[in-house]
Amino acid sequence: MSLLSTHGLTAHYGDFQALFGVDIRVEPGEAVAIIGANGAGKTTLMRSIAGVLRSAPGEVVFRGREIGALDAAAVMGAGLAMVPEGRRLFPSLSVEENLQIGCYGRKAPGPWSLDAIYDLFPILGERRHAPGTALSGGQQQMVAIGRALISNPDLLLCDEISLGLAPVVIRDIYAAVPRIREAGASLVVVEQDIGQALKVADRVYCMMEGRVTLEGTPDTLSREAIHDAYFGVSA
């Protein structure tokens, strides 16, 4: 049984349809990357899985349970957590207080605690009492990842975690991915950076205009196939 699967998933913003019958799956222990240009539907897919956007119950299945109609709090309680695009820290709270917000959705005891987060990202321990918004963009992203991890999810959804960050900061953040996986979490990573996505993922889905246009493993997908799926034109 797949850890997560979507079945003909659709999503709308009012009268505008953003997803058209999307089918993806994530196996236990797997890292899956979702790539595509701006407007491809990647963030909408993450929001639909996380319960921010509601769908029909059977369109999202997690551990064999239909969760498509659940709200975000119930989805988090089931064992999923999302690192949203733009980090979305609470400006009135310190780094440590922002991290502790994730504890309220904790599914069960697990490997991630405040001390474990500070071990993963030592700079956050050093700045635990600073306002969350006083940190650099990369450090704020670490807080957002830590806030999601501290709920001890079975599946971590990461939406554009490298967006707007310097290459050296992106390297440091992605260096944490192996430890996250070793602790038992599967991942779905949304990325515009194709090279970064191929480095971190066991499998890749490419999206364009709300549809999946390509699926495969990094070692079987050619540059030409990815180019065509990403842009919808021949190389």
Side-chain angles (χ1 to χ4, degrees):
M1 179 189 299
S2 297
L3 178 65
L4 173 83
S5 56
T6 67
H7 305 270
L9 180 61
T10 60
H12 296 77
Y13 295 101
D15 293 332
F16 174 74
Q17 186 167 354
L19 296 180
F20 299 83
V22 172
D23 296 330
I24 71 164
R25 61 185 170 85
V26 182
E27 303 301 331
E30 192 175 39
V32 170
I34 312 291
I35 63 173
N38 283 334
K42 306 184 303 297
T43 291
T44 300
L45 175 60
M46 294 297 96
R47 288 166 61 86
S48 296
I49 294 171
V52 179
L53 294 175
R54 303 286 188 91
S55 55
E59 288 185 353
V60 184
V61 178
F62 182 68
R63 291 198 178 280
R65 176 188 177 190
E66 296 183 353
I67 65 167
L70 300 184
D71 62 23
V75 169
M76 188 175 186
L80 290 86
M82 184 165 75
V83 182
E85 181 182 356
R87 300 177 282 274
R88 303 199 180 187
L89 303 187
F90 293 91
S92 63
L93 302 182
S94 69
V95 166
E96 188 156 296
E97 289 167 335
N98 267 283
L99 290 172
Q100 288 173 325
I101 290 293
C103 295
Y104 293 104
R106 189 182 297 241
K107 174 181 65 69
W112 297 107
S113 62
L114 280 173
D115 287 343
I117 298 301
Y118 293 148
D119 184 58
L120 183 68
F121 298 123
I123 187 62
L124 300 188
E126 297 171 15
R127 306 207 62 188
R128 68 180 69 189
H129 300 302
T133 52
L135 275 58
S136 69
Q139 291 166 1
Q140 290 184 37
Q141 190 64 276
M142 293 174 189
V143 176
I145 294 169
R147 181 180 60 193
L149 283 175
I150 209 167
S151 69
N152 285 299
D154 297 313
L155 179 61
L156 183 66
L157 309 174
C158 300
D159 191 4
E160 300 282 14
I161 57 175
S162 67
L163 188 64
L165 301 181
V168 65
V169 178
I170 295 170
R171 181 198 64 200
D172 290 344
I173 287 175
Y174 271 100
V177 168
R179 288 186 60 185
I180 293 171
R181 296 182 68 180
E182 287 167 7
S186 300
L187 287 92
V188 177
V189 178
V190 165
E191 263 295 348
Q192 288 191 52
D193 184 332
I194 296 174
Q196 185 64 67
L198 295 178
K199 287 178 185 177
V200 75
D202 299 307
R203 277 188 309 110
V204 179
Y205 291 91
C206 185
M207 294 185 67
M208 186 179 69
E209 297 180 349
R211 296 175 172 85
V212 172
T213 53
L214 185 69
E215 174 191 358
T217 59
D219 59 339
T220 61
L221 296 177
S222 68
R223 285 183 174 273
E224 291 77 11
I226 293 173
H227 180 281
D228 290 355
Y230 197 102
F231 297 107
V233 295
S234 297

